[in-house]
Amino acid sequence: MMLDDQGVTDEWIVRVQGTEYGPANIETLREWKAEGRLLPVNEARRADGDLWTTAAEIPGLFTVPPVVPISEPVPRQTPIPVVRRTFAEILLETVQIYRKGFFQFLGLTLLVLLPSICSQLTTAFVQPPQGSNVDLRSVIAAGVAFLAFIVSIVMWPVYIAGIQILTAEIARGNRPSLVAMLNEAVRFWSRVAALCIFVYGVFFLLMVFGLAIAAMALAGGSSVLLVLVAMGLLILQVWMFGRFFVNVLFWQQYAVLEKAGFIDSLRESRDLARSGRDLPWFQRPLWRGAFIASIWCAFGLAIKLGAEWSTLQHYFNEVTTTQDPQALLQRMTEIQQASGFNISSFALGILEEILRPLLGIAFVIVYLDSKLELPSHVEPIVSAGEGDAVR
């Protein structure tokens, strides 16, 4: 049978985790794609060629709907077994997806970044005159800052949902437009907003609980009993914080990609985070999510410390040399006012927000990878001789 599309008649070799599979025709490749065993970033080459490319470049595989043959049955070939991504592959695919959809991710980021920039610039450059308590310019600055804050809060659920949708589409080999993706993300606003209020609210309360414990320990420094009680409460707070963090690792993915409800999103997130007990610990969703969150927190902390390093040094010097608490507070206030608008901190903050989608992309990839299951009838392919898959 002659087909117009050359890509349909060709046979291809694909390479997954360093192992080559094939030759396989387009129908078999589509089956592997539908089962989640073949991704656009996997390497591929024609069976009669030596030039390696990616599966995304195979004609008719990720760009058009499958072609159903009318005659001549397609021979069944051995499927590719499910192979979970390594942590390095998750990070690499995160960067690749971010690069492919950079302008769409940037458009999403601007939804929450522009109001923040407007608020910071207004606060920095619209200052009331010295010696005046109330001034029209200060009122305007406060109003603009408050309005920008409200806009950022309203746009945040759209931002979260958009990252989930855009990442999943690019991982499937699609390139959705920003407008179409925003229209889809808006549909999840109420659900994501309610979950944001709950999740971030609980984290806030846990942080307040921890600060209250620290204040209690400082106030009762001379009482051994009070210090022991504070340490016990602090251990309880850390346990509660860690347990809640585990339970809500994947709520965004279930709320958007699975279209789960409020309770179902939290329950499914908890179940997925605690799954993979039969896997090595470093392949479990819990540890992968914790590593990704830790990497991002370290990156954010480095940016903030780098931008405020000189101010922090002044603070440290004052703390070590000033004994009077009231004088210390006044001195710190003077240092903050003297520092003025920190351009480096402002620029690094913008950079952090532009790169923030990497965190969401990585969690979507971990979620997609964790959902893969190896069917019981599939056996891994190993090298068995000439003509078989080669390692």
Side-chain angles (χ1 to χ4, degrees):
M1 177 179 64
M2 296 297 295
L3 297 174
D4 294 335
D5 189 354
Q6 183 181 2
V8 176
T9 60
D10 286 338
E11 291 189 329
W12 295 77
I13 303 291
V14 296
R15 185 156 57 195
V16 179
Q17 296 271 339
T19 304
E20 297 180 7
Y21 303 98
N25 57 28
I26 192 67
E27 294 302 326
T28 303
L29 294 177
R30 285 182 180 132
E31 291 181 7
W32 293 346
K33 168 195 169 186
E35 295 168 356
R37 303 166 187 269
L38 182 61
L39 303 173
V41 295
N42 293 138
E43 296 178 283
R45 66 173 175 86
R46 297 183 188 274
D48 57 354
D50 298 325
L51 180 62
W52 287 95
T53 179
T54 61
E57 303 299 327
I58 298 177
L61 182 57
F62 288 95
T63 56
V64 299
V67 178
V68 180
I70 300 177
S71 60
E72 296 188 14
V74 178
R76 298 292 296 177
Q77 303 188 29
T78 306
I80 300 177
V82 171
V83 180
R84 294 186 180 274
R85 300 169 179 85
T86 64
F87 192 74
E89 289 173 337
I90 290 175
L91 298 181
L92 177 61
E93 190 171 349
T94 297
V95 175
Q96 290 175 339
I97 290 178
Y98 181 74
R99 178 180 57 83
K100 291 179 181 178
F102 173 77
F103 291 103
Q104 289 95 326
F105 286 115
L106 180 61
L108 276 172
T109 302
L110 291 178
L111 292 177
V112 294
L113 180 59
L114 286 180
S116 176
I117 292 176
C118 180
S119 174
Q120 293 181 59
L121 293 179
T122 303
T123 304
F125 295 107
V126 182
Q127 298 288 347
Q130 295 293 332
S132 175
N133 295 327
V134 179
D135 182 76
L136 179 60
R137 288 181 298 175
S138 62
V139 173
I140 292 176
V144 171
F146 178 75
L147 180 61
F149 173 75
I150 295 300
V151 172
S152 296
I153 293 297
V154 171
M155 290 292 104
W156 188 257
V158 178
Y159 170 75
I160 289 178
I163 288 180
Q164 316 304 311
I165 297 169
L166 185 56
T167 302
E169 289 298 318
I170 294 178
R172 298 188 187 105
N174 302 325
R175 294 292 184 89
S177 66
L178 179 61
V179 174
M181 183 266 300
L182 287 176
N183 288 335
E184 182 69 16
V186 169
R187 296 172 50 199
F188 297 93
W189 188 91
S190 58
R191 182 183 309 160
V192 176
L195 283 163
C196 282
I197 293 173
F198 173 75
V199 173
Y200 298 150
V202 171
F203 277 126
F204 175 77
L205 292 177
L206 290 173
M207 293 297 295
V208 171
F209 182 38
L211 293 175
I213 295 172
M216 182 177 67
L218 292 175
S222 59
S223 173
V224 177
L225 179 61
L226 190 58
V227 171
L228 291 177
V229 171
M231 291 181 61
L233 291 176
L234 183 61
I235 294 174
L236 175 63
Q237 189 268 350
V238 172
W239 177 83
M240 293 170 60
F241 190 95
R243 192 170 183 84
F244 186 72
F245 172 79
V246 170
N247 289 341
V248 299
L249 267 178
F250 301 101
W251 71 265
Q252 298 178 7
Q253 289 73 52
Y254 278 101
V256 178
L257 300 181
E258 297 290 342
K259 302 179 181 179
F262 185 97
I263 300 299
D264 291 336
S265 298
L266 298 174
R267 181 174 59 248
E268 295 293 339
S269 172
R270 178 201 61 193
D271 294 342
L272 181 61
R274 298 179 182 180
S275 66
R277 300 295 179 87
D278 56 331
L279 298 173
W281 67 271
F282 53 85
Q283 291 186 355
R284 297 174 187 174
L286 167 60
W287 290 106
R288 288 184 165 183
F291 287 153
I292 291 171
S294 300
I295 292 173
W296 178 256
C297 288
F299 172 73
L301 183 62
I303 284 183
K304 288 179 173 58
L305 289 178
E308 301 289 344
W309 184 250
S310 61
T311 303
L312 291 175
Q313 284 182 317
H314 285 94
Y315 285 165
F316 179 77
N317 291 334
E318 293 298 330
V319 169
T320 55
T321 58
T322 305
Q323 301 297 328
D324 184 8
Q326 184 175 358
L328 175 63
L329 180 60
Q330 182 179 359
R331 183 57 184 156
M332 287 186 172
T333 303
E334 293 174 355
I335 293 174
Q336 179 65 32
Q337 293 176 348
S339 62
F341 181 67
N342 192 330
I343 297 179
S344 62
S345 176
F346 178 72
L348 289 174
I350 292 177
L351 175 63
E352 181 183 5
E353 291 302 320
I354 291 176
L355 296 179
R356 185 180 295 275
L358 288 168
L359 177 63
I361 295 170
F363 267 93
V364 172
I365 295 174
V366 172
Y367 162 79
L368 295 175
D369 186 78
S370 302
K371 297 288 286 185
L372 295 177
E373 296 180 357
L374 181 63
S376 58
H377 65 278
V378 176
E379 297 293 336
I381 301 175
V382 296
S383 302
E386 186 177 358
D388 294 337
V390 292
R391 185 172 298 276

